[in-house]
Amino acid sequence: MEDVRIERVLRAVECIPEGRAATYGTLGRICGESPRTVGRVLSLWGSNVAWWRVVNAGGAIPGHAAEAEPHWRREGLLAAGPDAAGPSGVAGPGGASGSGRASGSARTGRAGTGPVVELRRVAADEAELRRRWEAAVADLAD
């Protein structure tokens, strides 16, 4: 993969504000890559960007929820279960208990795959991301 394509994806991730998330598809549309390419770039070169802010359409990062969860908690991105939401509607600290129903537990993704981001509430505005990204890549050659 060309270095400039990698850099364009990484700069798109850097445009997601703290406390917001975007899907692989959204970033793909912004930088002209497929969602799979966005995921591949993050898996190989994304350790120095806020990779945890990029999730699938279900709000998850399959296979990486355990690493992402502390970041999601800190940024208030987690979807809360019916018993887990505090006054702000965001799951609080403490993690899930054995039952997954204790206060502070995060809602889990499909088939209990782990915590998920509440995209309805925290999705970054695509138009704003695109404006930020266009400014961020202005110095790159195509």
Side-chain angles (χ1 to χ4, degrees):
M1 184 175 298
E2 299 172 41
D3 289 345
V4 72
R5 289 176 64 200
I6 295 164
E7 187 63 25
R8 291 166 62 92
V9 170
L10 295 175
R11 289 189 188 189
V13 176
E14 291 173 338
C15 292
I16 305 168
E18 185 172 337
R20 296 287 175 206
T23 65
Y24 297 105
T26 298
L27 289 186
R29 282 191 302 275
I30 288 170
C31 61
E33 298 291 347
S34 73
R36 287 182 184 259
T37 298
V38 171
R40 181 77 173 147
V41 167
L42 286 175
S43 74
L44 295 174
W45 297 285
S47 63
N48 290 326
V49 296
W51 55 268
W52 59 89
R53 295 181 188 150
V54 185
V55 297
N56 66 19
I61 304 176
H64 298 284
E67 297 95 343
E69 187 174 7
H71 299 287
W72 290 344
R73 284 191 184 286
R74 186 183 73 250
E75 293 189 24
L77 299 173
L78 281 172
D83 299 334
S88 67
V90 178
S97 71
S99 70
R101 306 287 291 171
S103 180
S105 66
R107 185 174 68 87
T108 59
R110 277 184 247 127
T113 57
V116 294
V117 166
E118 188 175 10
L119 281 170
R120 282 178 323 192
R121 183 177 56 81
V122 301
D125 179 75
E126 188 169 343
E128 179 61 26
L129 281 178
R130 184 174 299 279
R131 282 190 293 276
R132 289 175 180 222
W133 177 79
E134 287 171 351
V137 297
D139 65 325
L140 294 178
D142 285 324

